[in-house]
Structure formats: C-alpha cells, structure tokens
Amino acid sequence: MSNTLNIRGYDFVEFYVGSAKMVAYWYAKALGMEIKGFLGPETGVRDRVSYYLVKNKLKFLITSPVDPGNFEIYDFISRHGDGVKRWAVEVDDVEAAFKYATSKGAVMVRRPEKLEDTHGYVTEAAIRLYDDTELVYVNRDNYDYIFRPKYCEPIQKIEIAAQDTGIMGIDHIVGNVRQNEMNLWADYFNKTMNFETFIDFGPGDIGTKYSALLSKVVRTTDFKIKNPINEPYAGIKKSQIEDYIEHYHGSGVQHVAVWTHDIVKTVRALRKNGMEFLHIPDTYYDHLRSRDDLGIAENIDDLQELKILCDKESEGYLLQLFTKPIGDRPTFFFEFISRKGEARGFGKGNFQALFESIELDQKLRGDLGLEAEEIMPPC
Ligand code: FE2
C-alpha cells in the first residue's frame, strides 16, 4: 500500500468563531503565533473576516461572519459554538486526490477550483467529514503571497507580547462521533483515501468506573496523517464523548495535537502565556518514578511541575499534555506532544490518564450524570 493521494502532510486548520479578531489575539498570545494575514471587507470580501496565523509549520485561519446573510458560518457557530470547520492536507495534485476520493465514495463538498490573483494560484477541493466538518485538499506550489488570494497583510500590525512556545506543526487531529459511527468513519478514511487502521482501542481498553470510549486510529501508510476517531461506549454514567456530542450538537473535531521538539520548554511558555491545562494528580508521577524501564532524558520533577504525561512504547516514548477546552463549551481543546525515538503510537496509558482528567472536569460541571451529593462544588 502507498500514500495513494500523494499527501505531503497537514496544511491548515480553519476555525469558525463568534469574534475572529478577539480569538486571533488569544491565539497570538496563548500559542505565540504570528498574525500574518487578513481577509475581510478591506480586502474585498463583504460577508466575513478571517485572520491567518502562523508558527513554524502551523497554519490556522480564524474566521467570523460580519454580515447576517452569511448563513453558512452563522449556522455553524449557532449550532456548534466555536470549532473546527475544516482541516486541510497538502497534496501533489488536488484534482487527482479529489477524483480518487469521490470515486471511492467520499462526499463532495467543493469541486477542485483554482483561486487566482497576480501572485499566482492555489488549488483547493473539499470532501465532507462528520456532520459539518470538511477535509480540504490544497496545493499552493504556484502561489507566492499570503495564504491564498484575497488574504493581505494585516491592516494594522499589532505586536502581541508572548513567550516563544516553540510549537512546530500538527501531529494528529481527532474526531468525536456518535455511538456506532466510529467504524463508519474509519472505513470512510480507509476506502476513500486508502488510509489504514493503525490502532483499535476496544471495549475495556479505556474507561473509568463511570464511563468509557472506543477509539480507532486511521493513518496514511507513511504516518504523515494520523486521525483518531472516538465514540462513546456504555458505562454506568455518561461518556465524555457523549458529553462532547451533546455540547457540540453533533460529531466533529475534538482536538488538534501540536508537536514540539522540547515539550518542557513549550509547556512552560504556554503556561506563562495563560494556557490552561487539565490537572494530573501527583500520584501519576509517583508511579512514573517507580518504573525501572522508563529511561527518559527529561527530568520527572519538570514533568510533574508542568503536569506532562509520559508513556513508554517499544520504539521510544511519548510526552503529552492536554489543555482545558479553549472556548465556552466543553468541546474543542489542544494537545501538545513530543515523540522521542521512533514512538509512533498514542500512549494507551496517557489516553487513560487524559480520560480520567477530562472526567474530573465533566464531574465539576455536573455533566457526568452523578447525583448532586456526589459532586464536589469548586467553591
Ligand atoms: Fe491526541
């Protein structure tokens, strides 16, 4: 098997949000990204504004409607809140990738189109993912300006002081789907884009006494794109995946994992920039210190101070950390990850620790479905 679509790697992620200007400033501050481009009425687009942010290979678009006639974005944020509308992969040939995917059953959203101006052209096409999400094929080999036509330099350059986070690019993007939909979407990736199922967490693999999930990871055969898909699994109480589906009002992207060479430096900078992370109990690090087989270069005191998770794999190890949901609804969050050695998995131990940590937050919000007397009020 080969990377049939000739996917080069992740390209951009576009978020639809209520107020793009404010959210773009938050991304610039919290993630230490640079606002490199802008699209809006000043650049000839009347119904929306969009900020283009970059840090190393990481490219985000933050987009909001500014005209009541823009039903597409208003409908999305009204139903889902702020969230990921589309994520893109860079391909050698957009037309060929789109043709292959749709011939194998991918749902067409946008046929290949050439977006052109005096700086050249960008080619894009899109297929559907989950409820309201899109996967975009893009090629920008013939374009030498900001992102794509109609994006210009920001009207007013604003310096936002932030610690250098050292974040590099996207490691993986995760979808949450309803019960009995995981296999459907895993098959969709495998059939339409020739991905393969890499990891399959079944019943009993990930869970607490209250709730559980099932998860499959599909990927391109060369590991460039990795896409875990989670679905709720029956437990005594409500699964956190079901909780996401309820607050998001449907299936969609749960988190984007961003990679870094030095996670200790990255997380220290992110915390100084105001990023909030999930809590990991100190007992986790007592257990880590007791492991004779760990053999990691990082200092466990640093990991404990910054609440970084560590999981050993046969070919190396993973260091990971998860933020709290970044918006008002308990839906989308970020992960930061460093892969050491040849570690290519997703850390079953870390997954379990993440699951327990999210459940703590779920419990605080009263969303786990526990009786009132079982919930400890935060104040
Ligand atoms: Fe992840």
Side-chain angles (χ1 to χ4, degrees), residues 172 174 255 257 320 322 335 346:
H172 60 273
V174 180
H255 72 267
Q320 290 166 290
F322 303 88
E335 170 185 342
F346 286 84

Side-chain angles (χ1 to χ4, degrees), residues 249-265:
H249 290 269
S251 59
V253 171
Q254 180 207 40
H255 72 267
V256 171
V258 174
W259 69 274
T260 168
H261 292 294
D262 184 346
I263 200 162
V264 170
K265 179 179 171 251

Side-chain angles (χ1 to χ4, degrees), residues 50-69:
S50 185
Y51 290 80
Y52 172 52
L53 289 96
V54 177
K55 177 74 178 176
N56 294 315
K57 291 180 180 169
L58 202 60
K59 299 175 195 162
F60 288 161
L61 295 179
I62 312 291
T63 303
S64 285
V66 289
D67 184 289

Side-chain angles (χ1 to χ4, degrees), residues 20-38:
K21 183 172 185 176
M22 296 178 77
V23 173
Y25 281 24
W26 181 87
Y27 272 77
K29 172 69 185 169
L31 291 179
M33 300 182 79
E34 187 184 348
I35 300 174
K36 283 256 199 190
F38 173 81

